[in-house]
Amino acid sequence: MSTKRRRDYYDEDDDDNNENDAVFSNGGKSQKVEVDLSLLEALEKSQSQNKNAVEVVDLKTLKKLVLSFERKLKDNIEARLKYPNQPDRFADSEIDLHDDLHKLSILAGAPELYPDLVNLNAIPSILNLLAHDNTDIAVDVVQLLQDLTDPDVFEDDEESDEPARVLVDALVENNVLELLVQNLQRLNDSDPDEMAAVYSTLTTVENLVEVKPAVAEMVCERTKLLKWLLGKIKVREFDSNKQYASEILAILLQNSAANQRRVGQMNGVDVVLQAVAMYKSKDPKSLDEEEMVENLFDCLCCLLMPLENKERFVKAEGVELMIIIMKQKKSAYSSAIRALDFAMTKYPPACERFVDVLGLKTAFAAFMGKIPVNKKNKKERYQEELEERIVSLIASLFGGILRGSRRERLLSKFVENECEKIDRLMELYMRYSDRVKTETERLNHLELDDLEMDEEEKYNRKLESGLYTLQLIAVILGHIWCSEHPHMRARIELLLKQQKLTNKDVKDILQEYHDNIGDLDGPEEKERAQAKIQKFISAF
C-alpha cells in the first residue's frame, strides 16, 4: 500500500468517476474515498514559494511601503478618535497597521535605504507607536526595530556602517530610548508574546549600543532602564529574560565609569551581591543559568572599578560572601576569586577585611592548586586563569597590607610547612618565565621575517603570553625579600640557584615592570608605584 499522505473528503460536483480514486454522489449519499494528495501538495508548495518570493527592495518600493504605512496609521488614529469606546469599529484598521509594520521589516534586507527611510520622515511615526494603546502594535514596532538594527544586516567595513549610523542617530534623536523603556515597563512577563517583546527590546538596546557606543550612557541618563534591570535580576526565579537582563547590565557597565557610579548610587552593588548569593551553595541547573551567573559576576567586577563601590562592597559584607562561595567549592568558585581581586586592587580596607575574616587559608589553598574539580575546571585554560587571578589577589594583599599583625600573618604563610608557598611561587615563576622567553624568541623571529612591530606592541604581546603574571610573582618575591626574613631569603636563593638563576634575573623582570608603569591614575600615583618597585630592585 502507498505510504503517501491521503485525506478523506467529499465532492458532489465531480463527474469524472474513477473506481479506485473518485468522489461521487450515489443516490443522495456521499461516499468517502481516499485521494492521493502529492500533486496538490506540490502545487500548494509552488504557490507558497511564489507568494513568498523575495521582493526587490529599492527606493520606489520603500516609498510605497512608507506611504501605505502612513495611510494605515492615519486611518487607525481617525477610527480610534471617532469610536473611542467601540473597539470593534477600529479593530480592522489595527490589523491593517499590524500588517504594514510587518511589511516594513523587509527593509532589513536593504540597509543602504536607511538614510532614505530617515529622509521620508517615517521614524517619528514608527516610534510614536511604541506608546500605542494596543500593546500588540507596540510589540510589532519593537520587533521591527530589532530587525532593522540587527548587526548581521550590516557589513564590517566603515563605509557600509554609515547607513546604520544614520538610522541609529535618527532613532536616538526621536527618543527611541525613552519610548522603548516606557513600553518595557508596561509589558507583562506572564504573557508569552509580551515576554518575547521584552527580549526584543533588550536586543534592540544591545544593537543600538553596538552601532553607537555612546548609547550605553545615554540610555542610563535618560531612562529608568537601570532600575528595571536591577529589579529583574532581583527576582529569584530564573528565566531567559532574567539572563538577558544580566547580560545587558554587564554591557552597560563594562566601559562606562559613569554607569558604574550610577548603579552604585542605586544600591546596585547590594542587589548584585544578593543575586550571586543565591548560588553560594548550589550550582546553576542549565547552561543558560550558568551564563547568567557569569554575567552577574561580570557586573560585580565592573562595579568594583570605582573606589566608592569597593567601599560599598566591603560594607555589604561582599568579602565574606566571596569567601563563603570559595569554601562551598561550587561552580562560582573562580568568579568569587575574580571579584575579590577587583575589590582588593588598590583598596587596603578590603585587604584588611579579607585577613580579618580568615580569608588567607582559603586563598592559599587555591594558590597551592587545591581547587574543586569538575568538568569546567578540568580545562587547562580555566586552571591557568585561576592561577593568574590568585597570584594577582596575593599581590594585591601585599600591596594593601603594609604593616602590623596582618602583614605578619600574610608573611607567615610563606614560612609554614617548610616554605611550601615559596616553592610553589618559584614553580610558577619558572613556568611563566619559560613561556615569556618562548614568546620573545617567536617575536624576534617575526622581526627577522620583516614583520614590522614596534616596542609597545611587542611588550603587549609578551604581557598576553604571561609576562604580567610573571611580573606580579616578581613583586611578591620583592615583598618577601624586603621582609628580611633569613629563612625565606635563603629558600628563594636556593631555588634560584637550582634553576641556574640569580637575583639579577628577578631584578630584570622588576626593572621592565618599573619602566612600563603607566600614568593612568595620574603622575603622582605613577611615581609612587615606581618608587615601590625601585625599592625591591635595590633590595635584590
Side-chain angles (χ1 to χ4, degrees):
M1 185 177 175
S2 170
T3 56
K4 290 176 183 172
R5 277 181 59 217
R6 297 175 178 271
R7 182 189 299 158
D8 295 337
Y9 74 107
Y10 297 85
D11 183 357
E12 295 184 357
D13 301 317
D14 192 347
D15 294 325
D16 269 333
N17 296 335
N18 179 291
E19 266 185 0
N20 301 318
D21 189 349
V23 180
F24 56 92
S25 175
N26 181 14
K29 292 179 184 175
S30 295
Q31 285 192 323
K32 195 196 306 189
V33 294
E34 288 182 313
V35 176
D36 188 337
L37 286 182
S38 58
L39 291 174
L40 279 174
E41 285 175 344
L43 181 63
E44 281 172 11
K45 193 174 179 184
S46 168
Q47 287 172 340
S48 171
Q49 283 173 343
N50 290 335
K51 190 178 175 184
N52 295 327
V54 176
E55 188 179 344
V56 175
V57 186
D58 53 18
L59 186 55
K60 186 180 174 185
T61 311
L62 171 63
K63 285 178 177 177
K64 271 171 62 181
L65 288 168
V66 170
L67 185 61
S68 174
F69 162 70
E70 294 285 5
R71 279 180 186 151
K72 302 290 167 55
L73 175 57
K74 184 170 173 280
D75 291 346
N76 180 243
I77 292 169
E78 287 174 354
R80 274 186 166 264
L81 286 172
K82 197 170 180 183
Y83 310 106
N85 302 315
Q86 296 173 275
D88 55 316
R89 303 295 293 268
F90 55 72
D92 286 347
S93 70
E94 240 138 79
I95 291 168
D96 291 341
L97 188 55
H98 163 87
D99 290 342
D100 269 38
L101 283 166
H102 273 263
K103 284 176 189 171
L104 283 171
S105 65
I106 197 174
L107 296 174
E112 67 279 3
L113 292 174
Y114 287 178
D116 298 301
L117 178 67
V118 172
N119 292 334
L120 288 167
N121 206 28
I123 300 299
S125 302
I126 292 169
L127 292 182
N128 285 339
L129 288 174
L130 284 167
H132 198 282
D133 287 343
N134 182 348
T135 53
D136 289 344
I137 295 294
V139 166
D140 289 335
V141 176
V142 172
Q143 186 58 57
L144 173 62
L145 292 173
Q146 183 189 344
D147 291 342
L148 294 179
T149 58
D150 188 335
D152 292 342
V153 166
F154 313 122
E155 302 292 334
D156 286 336
D157 60 276
E158 283 285 316
E159 201 174 311
S160 302
D161 273 354
E162 187 56 31
R165 283 194 287 272
V166 170
L167 174 67
V168 171
D169 284 343
L171 290 171
V172 172
E173 282 165 23
N174 286 281
N175 304 320
V176 69
L177 302 173
E178 293 88 336
L179 291 164
L180 274 172
V181 176
Q182 282 165 19
N183 184 55
L184 182 65
Q185 289 170 314
R186 68 172 175 158
L187 294 174
N188 182 0
D189 266 5
S190 59
D191 180 297
D193 290 338
E194 293 190 17
M195 187 176 180
V198 169
Y199 197 90
S200 293
T201 303
L202 297 178
T203 303
T204 304
V205 171
E206 184 180 5
N207 293 348
L208 293 171
V209 171
E210 190 159 330
V211 175
K212 187 182 175 86
V215 167
E217 287 190 3
M218 285 180 191
V219 74
C220 298
E221 283 166 15
R222 301 181 187 180
T223 77
K224 294 182 177 177
L225 180 61
L226 286 177
K227 185 180 176 185
W228 186 91
L229 292 170
L230 289 172
K232 195 75 196 153
I233 64 172
K234 264 184 188 176
V235 178
R236 292 194 73 83
E237 293 76 26
F238 171 78
D239 63 37
S240 59
N241 282 343
K242 182 179 178 182
Q243 178 202 346
Y244 206 5
S246 68
E247 187 178 332
I248 296 298
L249 184 59
I251 289 168
L252 296 177
L253 290 171
Q254 64 188 5
N255 293 316
S256 169
N259 285 351
Q260 290 160 7
R261 283 192 287 272
R262 195 175 277 117
V263 174
Q265 288 157 7
M266 295 168 68
N267 200 34
V269 174
D270 203 46
V271 170
V272 176
L273 283 173
Q274 286 174 37
V276 300
M278 295 181 204
Y279 298 91
K280 67 184 176 193
S281 54
K282 69 170 186 177
D283 283 333
K285 292 175 183 172
S286 66
L287 286 173
D288 286 343
E289 195 172 357
E290 191 177 309
E291 189 181 317
M292 183 200 69
V293 176
E294 285 176 14
N295 291 338
L296 290 170
F297 273 101
D298 286 343
C299 293
L300 185 57
C301 292
C302 290
L303 285 171
L304 287 168
M305 301 291 275
L307 197 67
E308 60 264 38
N309 285 347
K310 291 177 192 276
E311 188 180 341
R312 292 183 176 108
F313 177 81
V314 172
K315 260 187 194 165
E317 300 185 351
V319 173
E320 289 88 331
L321 176 61
M322 295 306 116
I323 292 170
I324 289 167
I325 291 172
M326 285 178 70
K327 283 180 176 175
Q328 293 293 328
K329 298 186 175 178
K330 297 295 179 183
S331 64
Y333 179 86
S334 64
S335 300
I337 292 174
R338 183 160 66 105
L340 282 168
D341 184 30
F342 272 85
M344 293 195 286
T345 301
K346 297 178 183 174
Y347 190 63
C351 301
E352 290 164 5
R353 175 70 66 86
F354 186 80
V355 176
D356 291 347
V357 297
L358 311 179
L360 290 177
K361 185 179 178 184
T362 311
F364 278 97
F367 178 70
M368 294 303 291
K370 295 169 187 172
I371 59 172
V373 177
N374 55 40
K375 280 182 188 174
K376 180 179 163 188
N377 298 5
K378 281 181 181 173
K379 292 176 186 169
E380 190 179 336
R381 184 61 202 139
Y382 170 89
Q383 294 189 358
E384 282 177 7
E385 283 174 9
L386 197 56
E387 234 168 46
E388 290 164 11
R389 193 61 69 183
I390 203 76
V391 165
S392 177
L393 189 148
I394 291 168
S396 293
L397 279 169
F398 270 112
I401 300 169
L402 301 175
R403 59 188 64 82
S405 61
R406 294 187 186 101
R407 179 80 173 186
E408 290 304 317
R409 284 162 69 184
L410 177 59
L411 283 166
S412 70
K413 282 286 169 189
F414 288 88
V415 183
E416 66 184 23
N417 296 335
E418 298 179 357
C419 297
E420 65 172 7
K421 312 290 188 307
I422 293 179
D423 294 355
R424 171 69 171 158
L425 195 63
M426 289 307 298
E427 177 198 325
L428 293 172
Y429 176 93
M430 290 311 303
R431 193 191 315 152
Y432 282 91
S433 179
D434 289 345
R435 199 181 292 175
V436 172
K437 276 177 193 165
T438 304
E439 179 65 8
T440 306
E441 285 167 13
R442 192 185 73 81
L443 293 173
N444 290 340
H445 279 302
L446 284 177
E447 281 199 336
L448 290 172
D449 293 338
D450 294 334
L451 188 77
E452 286 186 26
M453 195 180 298
D454 61 28
E455 286 305 310
E456 188 181 350
E457 191 177 347
K458 273 177 74 174
Y459 184 70
N460 287 335
R461 294 277 187 96
K462 283 159 67 178
L463 285 175
E464 287 168 14
S465 74
L467 176 61
Y468 180 63
T469 301
L470 180 62
Q471 289 170 344
L472 291 181
I473 293 167
V475 167
I476 295 169
L477 286 169
H479 279 288
I480 295 169
W481 191 267
C482 284
S483 72
E484 297 183 355
H485 192 292
H487 195 37
M488 289 197 284
R489 276 192 170 191
R491 191 71 172 188
I492 291 168
E493 283 183 322
L494 172 68
L495 293 167
L496 284 170
K497 196 174 179 184
Q498 283 177 355
Q499 298 295 337
K500 297 185 172 60
L501 298 172
T502 65
N503 290 8
K504 185 181 178 302
D505 294 282
V506 181
K507 277 171 71 174
D508 290 345
I509 291 162
L510 289 168
Q511 189 65 54
E512 187 177 23
Y513 182 45
H514 170 280
D515 296 344
N516 286 281
I517 289 172
D519 56 1
L520 198 65
D521 297 322
E524 285 181 17
E525 183 56 39
K526 175 181 176 177
E527 207 174 298
R528 198 160 29 245
Q530 285 185 324
K532 186 174 74 176
I533 302 303
Q534 189 57 54
K535 182 186 166 192
F536 298 153
I537 293 167
S538 303
F540 270 113

